Amino acid sequence: MAVGDLALSSPMGPPACEKDAKALRFIEEMTRNADVVQETVLAEILSRNAETEYLRRFKLNGGTDRAAFKSKIPMIKYEDLQPEIQRIANGDRSPIFSGTSAGERKLMPTIKEELNRRQLLYSLLMPVMNLYVPGLDKGKGLYFLFIKSESKTPGGLLARPVLTSYYKSDHFKTRPYDPYNVYTSPNEAILCPDSFQSMYSQMLCGLLERKHVLRVGAVFASGLLRAIRFLQLNWAQLAHDIRTGTLNPKDNWEGIIPRIWPNTKYLDVIVTGAMAQYIPTLDYYSGGLPQACTMYASSECYFGLNLNPMCKPAEVSYTIMPNMAYFEFLPHEPNSTGLTQNSPPELVDLADVEVGKEYELVITTYAGLYRYRVGDVLRVTGFHNSAPQFHFVRRKNVLLSIDSDKTDEAELQNAVCNASRVLSEFGTSVAEYTSYADTTTIPGHYVIYFELLMKDSAELPCESVLSRCCLAMEESLNSVYRQGRVSDNSIGPLEIRVVKNGTFEELMDYAISRGASINQYKVPRCVSFTPIMELLDSRVVSSHFSPSLPHWTPERRR
Ligand code: AMP
């Protein structure tokens, strides 16, 4: 295909090299034939896995067409699969079906070839970026990449986060030299299991090679900010290590990224979804460098990429690559009451979604998830050829998130109950509460606003009681949260802010003045709207932090 055929428009002109041209042709081919590719992917998944227990259970009888699939296979959530996944973990080697997504880290079945599929998606990112940012082969990328602890399931299978398995794979470790993908971090630094030493050595290498660095990144925005905070705390030692010791003490950290790495062209971090809360802080440290969100992926499956990676964060749309899995879309009714449960909604195919509408993503993967609800709500913004492009709207049922932790309403409620139990010894209970993910501190931390109800004779519980409440809440939160606190240092101590009596009533008055119905008013369990934050903060009578770390061990819960 001639370069002129490339529908991927760019201000910079043609692909940088033949390898890029090939990758771009692949994107064009896949997106032009989105529906056909999807049909083939589904048939491939179903025929390969025809003899699995799961597909046999639904009497697919070897059928590989869409109609049979849609009429026989139910839509499911992680919880529905848990018994089967546990059997695999326990050592059952019979063919059953062939990360995290909320709360507890989930065990997700995978297969070896999934690594090829992930690597394929990675291989498309730089060819697209090269269309927009020239000269990236003239320097290096400073990426803060980490592995996490892994464990064995009772049946002896390795259980570990998807990126850990990717970084530990030969696909990553023995990747061929590519001038567009040279990192300052040696593999050994990335693969170091001690998160402090890993960060230290990656930072040291990044500083040593600072003039060569053309892009700075991490997977998520929170990871990059953790690295900047690390530099703030450890620059003296790092500078000492570099012998010349010329890093001046700096009180002013504004624009620190381009000051240290003066050739940085952009930040490579995901700032969509929950990570959007970090954009102002990234702007501050980077002096407004562009923030490129290149891809959209999960433990279950890698989904797609952003074909216009230098656009503003608010305008990011991801193009789902039709070859990654079979994708379906559950029309999302923002105000749905759940009354339609008796008539299951029709799932829409990738090529048939409509611009402007919101959908929940449902996937069928090579690794053996069938019609599985990922939990992400996406809005269609347009099409690239016949492949739709999606704005990430939000994750369902996630109230608070700082890093990879995701805390839902039920978990928060349970944590508040446990704090309330501590208070009950002092004749006090929690009358109302709400929460806020405070990202002005690095690492960010959960803030819980409490309005307390005290028995007549009771006095406001003392500092030590309220800090015990903070710890009691942390102990009740899921293991991903506690790992972030203990092992990764990616989440700061939980804070309780006690507000004056009557504050939540004021909150309701405010909502009603803005049009909320009195009958249907519910206390928001998480807030982020500035006027509401200001109201709450102006009524704070005392604030308290968790005095120590909650319990966490690398072993998986049984
Ligand atoms: P995990 O399986 O724990 O890696 O989490 C995957 C989830 O992270 C996805 O289902 C999304 O909710 C979120 N996520 C991943 N990539 C992005 C992105 N580019 N923008 C917004 N959210 C994302």
Side-chain angles (χ1 to χ4, degrees), residues 147 180 208 213 278 330 352 381 393 420 437 466 468 518 521:
I147 57 165
Y180 291 96
L208 276 170
V213 170
Y278 295 108
L330 176 64
D352 299 331
T381 54
V393 179
S420 217
L466 282 154
R468 257 173 60 208
I518 301 186
Y521 176 78

Side-chain angles (χ1 to χ4, degrees), residues 99-101 162 220 270 272-274 295-300 303 318 374 376 392 395 404 406:
T100 33
S101 285
V162 61
F220 288 116
I270 291 174
T272 42
M295 71 187 281
Y296 169 42
S298 75
S299 318
E300 293 89 341
F303 305 125
Y318 297 100
V374 174
D376 290 349
F392 183 95
R395 201 173 167 88
S404 45
K406 300 176 184 78

Side-chain angles (χ1 to χ4, degrees), residues 196-433:
F196 182 91
Q197 291 188 35
S198 177
M199 176 73 93
Y200 195 93
S201 44
Q202 295 193 52
M203 185 63 81
L204 198 61
C205 297
L207 291 173
L208 276 170
E209 299 204 67
R210 65 191 192 93
K211 296 263 169 68
H212 299 289
V213 170
L214 302 183
R215 49 203 171 108
V216 172
V219 178
F220 288 116
S222 53
L224 181 56
L225 289 172
R226 193 153 76 241
I228 298 301
R229 179 71 188 147
F230 184 90
L231 185 61
Q232 252 171 353
L233 296 174
N234 297 286
W235 66 264
Q237 183 65 41
L238 286 155
H240 178 261
D241 284 0
I242 301 175
R243 278 287 163 237
T244 54
T246 48
L247 192 63
N248 293 323
K250 289 185 169 69
D251 288 334
N252 175 8
W253 284 74
E254 190 169 356
I256 193 69
I257 295 177
R259 278 154 71 200
I260 296 183
W261 296 285
N263 299 315
T264 314
K265 300 183 181 202
Y266 65 95
L267 303 182
D268 191 342
V269 280
I270 291 174
V271 287
T272 42
M275 292 290 147
Q277 61 193 349
Y278 295 108
I279 293 173
T281 320
L282 283 176
D283 281 338
Y284 176 79
Y285 287 124
S286 72
L289 281 172
Q291 297 160 14
C293 299
T294 58
M295 71 187 281
Y296 169 42
S298 75
S299 318
E300 293 89 341
C301 174
Y302 281 22
F303 305 125
L305 72 172
N306 176 1
L307 295 178
N308 187 11
M310 298 303 276
C311 72
K312 294 207 179 75
E315 289 160 12
V316 171
S317 286
Y318 297 100
T319 304
I320 288 190
M321 288 297 287
N323 59 307
M324 298 304 289
Y326 183 64
F327 298 100
E328 291 174 286
F329 297 84
L330 176 64
H332 181 65
E333 313 282 341
N335 298 317
S336 137
T337 54
L339 293 177
T340 53
Q341 268 174 1
N342 290 339
S343 50
E346 287 267 308
L347 294 185
V348 178
D349 278 325
L350 183 68
D352 299 331
V353 294
E354 291 174 47
V355 174
K357 291 208 169 148
E358 290 190 1
Y359 299 90
E360 202 189 316
L361 182 61
V362 177
I363 57 173
T364 296
T365 67
Y366 283 89
L369 297 173
Y370 305 94
R371 312 195 97 183
Y372 170 96
R373 293 170 74 161
V374 174
D376 290 349
V377 178
L378 311 174
R379 184 171 56 248
V380 186
T381 54
F383 280 80
H384 180 77
N385 297 323
S386 61
Q389 302 186 292
F390 296 92
H391 174 72
F392 183 95
V393 179
R394 63 187 178 87
R395 201 173 167 88
K396 286 188 94 173
N397 304 329
V398 171
L399 224 46
L400 291 166
S401 173
I402 294 287
D403 192 41
S404 45
D405 55 303
K406 300 176 184 78
T407 296
D408 68 20
E409 204 161 330
E411 289 171 316
L412 182 64
Q413 166 78 35
N414 179 39
V416 171
C417 273
N418 288 338
S420 217
R421 217 160 276 151
V422 174
L423 291 172
S424 66
E425 295 169 33
F426 301 88
T428 302
S429 60
V430 180
E432 275 303 354
Y433 70 93

